[in-house]
Amino acid sequence: MSDARLSRRSVLTALGALGAAAALPSAAGAGPPPAGATHPVRRAPAVHSTGRRVAILGGGMAGLTAAHELVERGFDVTVYEPTALGGKARSIPSPGTGSGGRLDLPGEHGFRFFPGFYQHIPETMRRIPFPGNPNGVFDNLVSGPAFRMSMPEGPDLTAPASISPLRLDVYDLDSLQQSLGAAFSLGGAIPPHELALFSRKLVMFLTSCLERRNDEWEHQTWSQTLEADGKSQGYRDILVSALTRQLVAARPQTVSTRTIGIMGQAFVWNALGTVPSYGHLDRLLSAPTNEAWIDPWAALLRERGVKFEMGWRAEQFDLSGGRVTAARVAHSSGNRAVADADWFVAAMPVERAVPLWSPAILDADPRLELMRHLTTDWMVGIQYFLRAPTRIAQGHVAYLRTPWALTSISQAQFWRGDFAARYGDGSAHDCLSVDISDWDTPGILYGKTAKECSPEEIARETWVQMQRCLNDVGEPVLRDDDLVSWFLDPGVRWNAASGRNTNDTPLLINTAGSWKNRPDAHTAIPNLFLAGDYVRTDIDLATMESANESARAAVSAMLVASGSTAQPPAMHRLHEPPELEPFRRVDADRFHAGLPHILAG
């Protein structure tokens, strides 16, 4: 077998993408509410029931996916959404900023990021028509050719995000470990002996059996696995912190190694080009999310018969005979109504689903009680609209050592058309979209956490933290004079009296040992299904992809429960190299014998 080494550039790409994946989900309200959406929902007489009426409670990524799959299979679908279609994946226009026939400046919950190993989302996108695109909305994905890791008072690292097929000897664990160590050397930023430890841990995960992953790795934190205490600054900044804090706002001291390991290996195999079906590692949309994706999607679903009832939030499920008989919903105007259906899909986030589990629901499915132990954290976006294009990187930027764990993307370089001619008042030529992943560490300007800062203080503190990284050498990249305006996700609400923020849209964090608390898509209640990024999925991370995958699982289960003969939605698994299967079998034998992994120290 060849002893070829991985190129540093290829795995830098993988590392970079991990550091920049802050978003893994966001989307926007899909056009105006349908006529009559603000009126109470009327109860349909039971005699008219066809057995195919579905109420989907939540119109985010999971709800829209479920609606898409169900309406294509002949179900009568109604979606109840309290705020805006697309959930955390939506665009959020900055109100009142457009003039002269231009659109309002495009804000969002957080920038969109579509790793090449996503499979469910791209398959859905190909089925959504878009003018001039042979592959529908999917053709609105463009590649980010570079990634940058920037840090204050230190050299920045910029890596091309190209993928070239590589040959790797995976039959010899020593060779595999040495190759991965060389790949992650990052120009000497991490000492060789620490790289050796990291690469050994990575190889251990790659060659671990499923049982060990679900047992040992699931109950270890990423910090414990990488033995972070006492390591160098570079090791802790990049391999311990950036792969977690700037990935999904997860603290390395609490996040499950199983979750980070699954994502890590997916990025690595994608970067190495070992899976021909995977696309470019770093992909973005060619326009704001609503324009490029959510609005065309909602239009397609309406055309096919999906009904959207906007402004309605689920309050309670009624049970009788062990089945859900109705969902009680409340409108933002104060009206209340009953949503009748034969089948119900709870497609809202975990923090909104848990309050719906009444004693009757928990008596019917006691496992749902475990959802109360799931953890959420904050990962929220802010956009800066600039007078000139920002030449930071042709892709994502991770700001290492920033107290608020920042990542960003300069959007306009990827968007079609003239930004200034289309948005705002014509003075803004770029949108720098930033994700804030740490809301609990004091900043450098005010000495307060992001949760304790007013919106104006958040905007200024975030700007200064980026300037500290980007303007430390040579010509300033971010200049105060270039700033036109900023827009913070309106889900963050400032309470001047308490001096703290609240957040309407937190993000699920897979803490160590939390897999047991996550439900499957089909509950023990025969006609109640769950769809959302907290549901157990193969990708195992709170992302658009996991929300889409969970919705497909819910639809598949509903087809079985309803006796439908329709073909279930396509389900995909993350790549596991068959060449490593012999090692995983050996590890399975060792695990069942009570022995550690063969590479364990």
Side-chain angles (χ1 to χ4, degrees), residues 55 57 314 316-318 324-329 337-340 344:
L57 304 166
Q316 177 185 324
F317 287 111
D318 291 342
V324 175
T325 56
R328 298 185 180 272
V329 293
V338 175
D340 242 355
F344 296 83

Side-chain angles (χ1 to χ4, degrees), residues 68 130 135 153 161 203 279 420 429:
H68 194 163
F130 193 89
N135 298 302
E153 301 176 1
V203 170
H429 289 259

Side-chain angles (χ1 to χ4, degrees), residues 200-260:
R200 179 168 61 85
K201 296 286 188 175
L202 183 55
V203 170
M204 286 174 62
F205 188 88
L206 296 176
T207 56
S208 286
C209 63
L210 180 63
E211 295 89 341
R212 193 180 300 279
R213 290 184 182 183
N214 290 343
D215 189 316
E216 292 181 13
W217 296 109
E218 165 64 15
H219 291 88
Q220 285 185 21
T221 69
W222 185 246
S223 182
Q224 288 172 334
T225 295
L226 294 193
E227 302 174 19
D229 291 345
K231 297 297 186 296
S232 68
Q233 186 76 43
Y235 184 91
R236 288 183 284 113
D237 282 345
I238 299 172
L239 300 180
V240 178
S241 182
L243 301 192
T244 54
R245 207 69 183 109
Q246 286 158 306
L247 173 62
V248 280
R251 292 172 172 81
Q253 297 82 8
T254 59
V255 68
S256 162
T257 294
R258 177 185 183 274
T259 295
I260 301 303

Side-chain angles (χ1 to χ4, degrees), residues 270-426:
N270 191 179
L272 300 181
T274 57
V275 187
S277 62
Y278 285 177
H280 196 282
L281 183 66
D282 187 357
R283 299 177 298 189
L284 311 98
L285 289 168
S286 60
T289 311
N290 273 25
E291 296 178 37
W293 183 14
I294 302 302
D295 288 352
W297 198 3
L300 171 68
L301 298 183
R302 287 191 179 103
E303 179 183 315
R304 295 192 173 176
V306 174
K307 296 176 285 295
F308 291 103
E309 299 289 355
M310 302 302 295
W312 294 94
R313 181 189 301 274
E315 283 192 321
Q316 177 185 324
F317 287 111
D318 291 342
L319 253 67
S320 179
R323 297 175 65 89
V324 175
T325 56
R328 298 185 180 272
V329 293
H331 193 264
S332 54
S333 65
N335 291 333
R336 281 177 166 76
V338 175
D340 242 355
D342 303 297
W343 310 96
F344 296 83
V345 180
M348 68 283 288
V350 62
E351 71 276 4
R352 295 184 181 176
V354 166
L356 300 178
W357 306 150
S358 65
I361 291 284
L362 295 177
D363 185 56
D365 189 345
R367 281 201 70 243
L368 296 179
E369 175 72 29
L370 297 175
M371 288 175 56
R372 300 185 188 279
H373 303 295
L374 295 176
T375 300
T376 60
D377 206 338
W378 293 22
M379 188 177 203
V380 183
I382 182 171
Q383 288 76 51
Y384 296 91
F385 302 103
L386 308 175
R387 301 185 194 282
T390 52
R391 294 177 175 83
I392 301 175
Q394 290 182 293
H396 289 93
V397 181
Y399 300 87
L400 304 183
R401 302 180 193 171
T402 50
W404 290 2
L406 307 177
T407 48
S408 77
I409 184 77
S410 299
Q411 302 270 38
Q413 63 184 315
F414 300 102
W415 288 351
R416 298 166 182 159
D418 186 325
F419 184 91
R422 185 167 178 79
Y423 304 103
D425 61 4

